[in-house]
Each structure stands twice: as C-alpha cells, then as structure tokens.
Amino acid sequence: MEQGMSKTRAITGNGAMAEAMRQIHPDVVAAFPITPSTQVIEDFAQFVADGQVETELITVESEHSAMSACLGASAAGGRVMTATSSNGLALMWEMLYIAASMRQPILLTLVNRAISAPINIHCDHGDSMGARDAGWIQLYAENNQEAYDNMLMAPVIAEHMNVRLPVMVCLDGFIISHAIETMQIEDDDKVRAFIGEYTPYYSLLDTEKPPTWGALGLNNYYIEYKKAQQVAMENAHTVIQDVSKQFGELFGRQYDLFESYRLEDAERVIVAINSVAGEIKEVIDELRENGEKVGLLKIRVFRPFPYSEIAQALAQAKIITVLDRSASMGAYGPLFTEIRTALYDMPSRPMVYNRTFGLGGRELFLDDIKAIFRESQEYLQAGKIQTVFDYLCVRGG
Amino acid sequence: MSDKYKLKDWDELELGGVIPESGNAKDYETGTWRTWRPVWKEEACVHCLTCWVLCPEDAYNLKDGQTAKGKERKEIDGINYYHCKGCGLCVKECPVNKKGVKQAIDFIREET
C-alpha cells in the first residue's frame, strides 16, 4: 500500500466506525454491547486482540458503567471512545451530562435505534434527540462514508481548547450500521497526522500536581459553569466549519454545518436527518426532471444548531416540510421546533409544517416522499397549511 | 475580603470545574455549618490526640509539649472554629468524656 493512499472498501457502517476507532487509536474504550451498535465494539475488540491497537478495552457491566469508565479515563488524561444505541444511551443519561459539563472530549458512536417500549431494535432518532440537551456535540450522517468522516473529525473538534466537549456521531441503525456500502477508508498515517496527539487537560494521573475533578458548585457558581459550557458549544460552530474545511482539503470530501441539495432555487423543501436523505435526493432528481422546484436541506450538526445559516439557506423556499424521526410526546418534533425557530426572524417566512415518520424502523418509501411533495404543492397552492403536525405511514389515518 | 474569596466570572473559571491545585480544603471554611460548638477544656485534657485523629476537618490544633516526666510529645492547642463544623465526633469519642467523671470537651449550643 502506497503511503497516503486511501482504500476503497465495501464495509458496513459499524465496520467503518470500528475502522475510524482503530485509526484514532484511543487510550481507553469502555463499552457494553447493544444492538445495532454491537459490531462496532466487536470489530474493535478484534483489533485489540490482534494487537493492532494498544487501547485498554474495558468490558463493563452496563452502559452507565461504560460512560462512567469513559469519564474517569478521560479525567485521567486519556483519549476515550465508546459506542451504544437506544436504551444503552438512555442508561448513560446521568453520565452524558456529567461528561459534557466536566468538558471531557469523549467520542461516542451512536447507532440510532428506537427506545422501548414496545421493544424495538430498528431505527429512529428518539435516543439521540432525547440527549440533545445533554451538552454533547451531535453530528449526523446519511451513509457509511459520512459517519466515518464525521468520526475522523470528531476528536479534532472535541479536543479543540475553545470547545473541549464530547461528540456523538449518529448513524441510522441497520439501514447504515448493517448495510455494506463502498467507501473510502483513508490511510492510517494520514488520518493520525490529521487528528494529532492528544493533550490531556489536568490529568488525574499527574501525581506532581494532582487536580480535583467533579467538585461542588452551588448557587454561587453553577450558572457560571453553564454559561461557559454554552459559549463552548457556540465556539464549536466555527471549529466544526474549520475542521471540516481542513478535512476537505486533505481528503477531498466537503462538509459544512448541513448539506444543501438542489436548494438554491427550490420552492418546496424537505428538511431531514440521516439516511432518509438518500431516498429524498432520488425523488428530488426525478421531480426535477419534470420541472418541479424541489430541494433538500440535510442536517449534519444538530448541536450546536446553526440557526442563522439554516434560515439563510431556506430564505428562497416557499414551503418547508420538516421530517422528524423521533417524537417529543405532547410537542412538535425536535427538528421542527428548531427549524421554525430559525425561520422566525426572517422578514418573509416560508410556510412550514411537521411530519413524524419512521418510528421504530417504519419504512418511508419513494412513493411516500413523492406524496409529501404532492401535499406541500397542495398547501402551497391553497396558501394554507391544513395540518401542521401529523404522523406519516401510520395505519388508521 | 481578600481576592481569594472574590467570586470569579464565567470566563475566569477553569474548564469543567477542575480544581487544578491540591491541598485547598483549608480554604473552605466549614465553620459556618456549625450549630453545636465543641469547647476544649485544657485542664481536663490528657492529650491522647483522639480528637485530632478523628476530626474530619482537621480543626484541632497541635503544639509541641512535654509529659510530666519531661518526655516530648504533641499536645492539643485548641480548636480552629473556622473549620470545626460541629459534628460532635470529638465530644463523643473523647476518652475523658467517656469515663464520665470530667468533661475534656463540652458541647454547647451555638448562640444565634
């Protein structure tokens, strides 16, 4: 293999994430297996067993312990990674907040899966959307390549001293995690040069100058720490753009805060997250051949949410359908509330409405997406949104 | 008030609430927590140092002293009320108090 060459490989999304982990070569991985993310750690455990990495792999007894071990290892000065899905992320809940608030740049592969009940192993975004307030940077990916690329960028973003926050890289369960796609796995040395060495920040293992992590902060200090955390998240905005630009220059694949697909002159737009974007693009191409002005805005960075950039990108649209693959019971979908908020300050706002789809892995076929665009056409012609919020592809109407 | 006690702004804080230096428990004055106050009675104290060993706040002061036979030893030198949080452990465990004849450490209600 020639130095600096990338390999074209047919690999599953999970396999690609394990490759990213091998290349990042963390000091510690603590994980507990859960479908559909299991293969990430299985593959990585093989790398450990084969001596391809020197990572300390901690096989813990629960996800709460997994994130706790990650937190301790990170405070001890290590570069730390893990992977989980669904209820596994839910069991990490307490430690997710603590990891972010203690500003530990832990990296997590989240293979999106519905949260019980009923017990369901298939994709929706209820797990990561529920964690959206935990203080983690959230990057989303349409396919294997994007998920892998996001993970290569994740440590550079997380460890930047203006940010220093954990990053969750999200990809769709089974649809991406278990589907084999052809993609580029970059050269190890080139990836490691891009990521760089890890610099610990007040390591617990520094016996010369032992610090304290996780101390008390009551009503005279807590809110100052929260403000600092909020500013770090805002800083991540620019850092993500800078790192994505560097990544593009090195590896040739361009990323921004979101992807605009045939959006410039689009009148009817869908805003969506993750793998469904692939189907939407196909429908857009077909409708465009008939002269229909349709487009897609695909979210990549959900936290921090790029309000002003998105508002600008949607300024030309006349009607927007926001597709949420998760439910906030008793409220609109989490993506919709962000998009509508982003649009509020615009001088002339496009019409905007919300559809929930795909919960627990319910398929959204090409015809369903065509139906979405037909409906938005009807709303546009009528000048009125009949139903602001509804579920798609659900029996019983 | 010294600068040490000035509340910091959000952008002056260390990341994630880390406390970079060690040995700073002495800067945290738990004496404000106290509702009951131990009062050390020098005349009854046998300087066994049980209170000094058990005190969770290290509030018992020590000094160099001598036994009646002139042997060097450490002796109790009063209580640092900036750090005594009034837990009463010393009062309860004092061997002089336990004998029940004399009190080497009294425990009195703080005046409000």
Side-chain angles (χ1 to χ4, degrees):
Chain A
M1 169 79 31
E2 193 187 322
Q3 187 76 9
M5 283 280 284
S6 81
K7 280 178 275 188
T8 304
R9 282 183 59 183
I11 190 167
T12 62
N14 278 342
M17 296 315 270
E19 283 293 325
M21 287 177 77
R22 183 185 60 74
Q23 295 180 318
I24 292 167
H25 200 168
D27 298 295
V28 174
V29 167
F32 188 86
I34 181 167
T35 301
S37 68
T38 307
Q39 190 212 340
V40 177
I41 301 300
E42 269 177 10
D43 282 12
F44 189 76
Q46 191 70 55
F47 298 143
V48 174
D50 292 347
Q52 292 191 54
V53 288
E54 289 169 2
T55 304
E56 179 84 27
L57 177 66
I58 312 175
T59 51
V60 288
E61 76 279 21
S62 77
E63 286 87 353
H64 189 277
S65 302
M67 190 46 70
S68 299
C70 286
L71 190 49
S74 182
R79 189 181 257 158
V80 180
M81 299 181 79
T82 188
T84 194
S85 288
S86 179
N87 300 314
L89 188 73
L91 191 50
M92 287 181 180
W93 226 248
E94 178 189 9
M95 315 315 294
L96 287 180
Y97 279 79
I98 297 171
S101 304
M102 279 171 54
R103 310 288 294 277
Q104 303 298 328
I106 297 165
L107 310 174
L108 184 147
T109 294
L110 182 75
V111 181
N112 284 111
R113 164 185 156 185
I115 286 190
S116 302
I119 296 173
N120 182 302
I121 57 170
H122 291 287
C123 176
D124 74 35
H125 304 151
D127 46 7
S128 57
M129 283 298 156
R132 69 192 185 276
D133 298 337
W136 286 59
I137 291 168
Q138 289 192 337
L139 304 178
Y140 287 84
E142 178 184 330
N143 51 39
N144 299 9
Q145 185 74 63
E146 288 186 12
Y148 167 81
D149 289 350
N150 278 346
M151 189 48 96
L152 297 192
M153 284 180 254
V156 190
I157 297 162
E159 294 161 14
H160 193 289
M161 282 312 287
N162 291 348
V163 178
R164 212 73 188 182
L165 287 170
V167 177
M168 191 181 291
V169 176
C170 307
L171 56 148
D172 280 354
F174 290 105
I175 304 163
I176 300 305
S177 68
H178 285 60
I180 294 174
E181 285 185 319
T182 306
M183 58 172 285
Q184 299 302 119
I185 300 286
E186 299 297 339
D187 175 71
D188 288 0
D189 292 338
K190 199 174 167 188
V191 168
R192 283 172 190 164
F194 170 69
I195 291 166
E197 287 289 314
Y198 182 65
T199 313
Y201 178 76
Y202 290 117
S203 161
L204 283 173
L205 295 181
D206 184 352
T207 50
E208 298 296 313
K209 284 172 62 185
T212 299
W213 280 103
L216 198 68
L218 298 178
N219 42 359
N220 59 351
Y221 266 114
Y222 184 88
I223 197 169
E224 276 73 24
Y225 283 108
K226 291 294 129 181
K227 164 83 180 175
Q229 209 180 326
Q230 182 78 26
V231 169
M233 204 43 130
E234 285 160 20
N235 293 343
H237 195 109
T238 325
V239 171
I240 292 168
Q241 285 174 304
D242 292 347
V243 171
S244 303
K245 194 158 170 279
Q246 291 162 23
F247 183 90
E249 283 162 8
L250 265 171
F251 300 105
R253 287 182 296 280
Q254 313 300 326
Y255 292 94
D256 208 331
L257 300 166
F258 51 86
E259 184 190 339
S260 304
Y261 189 77
R262 306 190 83 163
L263 197 60
E264 306 75 42
D265 63 339
E267 292 176 352
R268 287 176 288 144
V269 174
I270 291 179
V271 180
I273 305 182
N274 275 11
S275 65
V276 74
E279 278 82 57
I280 297 170
K281 286 174 182 173
E282 194 164 324
V283 170
I284 287 172
D285 288 347
E286 194 183 322
L287 297 181
R288 281 270 176 182
E289 280 180 26
N290 304 332
E292 296 191 43
K293 288 186 173 177
V294 289
L296 165 74
L297 188 147
K298 184 184 82 190
I299 300 294
R300 174 173 177 241
V301 182
F302 189 78
R303 285 291 180 271
F305 198 83
Y307 292 100
S308 59
E309 286 87 350
I310 284 182
Q312 220 173 337
L314 294 174
Q316 301 304 314
K318 290 185 174 163
I319 187 160
I320 297 162
T321 316
V322 180
L323 291 185
D324 266 290
R325 198 167 190 160
S326 65
S328 175
M329 294 301 167
Y332 295 132
L335 179 58
F336 179 69
T337 53
E338 302 298 7
I339 296 294
R340 203 146 81 154
T341 300
L343 298 173
Y344 188 81
D345 292 324
M346 295 172 74
S348 69
R349 295 192 287 269
M351 296 158 79
V352 57
Y353 66 100
N354 191 195
R355 291 292 178 265
T356 304
F357 80 102
L359 302 186
R362 176 61 51 87
E363 296 82 358
L364 192 75
F365 293 109
L366 298 178
D367 281 346
D368 301 318
I369 297 164
K370 284 178 195 164
I372 293 169
F373 278 124
R374 268 202 307 279
E375 190 180 43
S376 70
Q377 177 74 343
E378 286 162 17
Y379 284 177
L380 189 59
Q381 275 167 357
K384 186 173 181 293
I385 287 164
Q386 195 70 34
T387 312
V388 174
F389 177 50
D390 203 359
Y391 276 43
L392 292 177
C393 307
V394 59
R395 284 187 303 278
Chain B
M1 194 188 275
S2 70
D3 276 355
K4 196 170 78 174
Y5 295 102
K6 187 185 163 290
L7 291 174
K8 288 179 179 172
D9 293 347
W10 68 265
D11 55 353
E12 296 171 331
L13 299 173
E14 296 288 353
L15 291 188
V18 67
I19 300 170
E21 74 281 355
S22 56
N24 49 22
K26 66 179 183 299
D27 296 333
Y28 192 59
E29 294 177 352
T30 44
T32 57
W33 300 4
R34 199 174 53 243
T35 53
W36 284 78
R37 168 190 290 252
V39 180
W40 174 65
K41 306 287 221 18
E42 187 168 9
E43 64 277 10
C45 179
V46 296
H47 300 289
C48 67
L49 310 191
T50 301
C51 54
W52 175 80
V53 169
L54 293 178
C55 178
E57 294 298 332
D58 208 9
Y60 274 91
N61 298 325
L62 288 187
K63 64 178 180 187
D64 292 324
Q66 285 181 343
T67 62
K69 290 177 181 171
K71 194 183 164 199
E72 284 188 6
R73 66 169 180 181
K74 293 287 182 187
E75 294 183 347
I76 296 297
D77 188 25
I79 297 169
N80 178 342
Y81 288 109
Y82 288 109
H83 286 104
C84 169
K85 62 188 175 191
C87 70
L89 198 56
C90 53
V91 181
K92 194 175 175 196
E93 296 301 329
C94 171
V96 178
N97 286 9
K98 279 183 175 177
K99 275 189 179 171
V101 182
K102 284 186 282 186
Q103 285 280 113
I105 311 171
D106 275 344
F107 208 32
I108 59 170
R109 192 82 188 163
E110 282 285 336
E111 286 174 27
T112 50

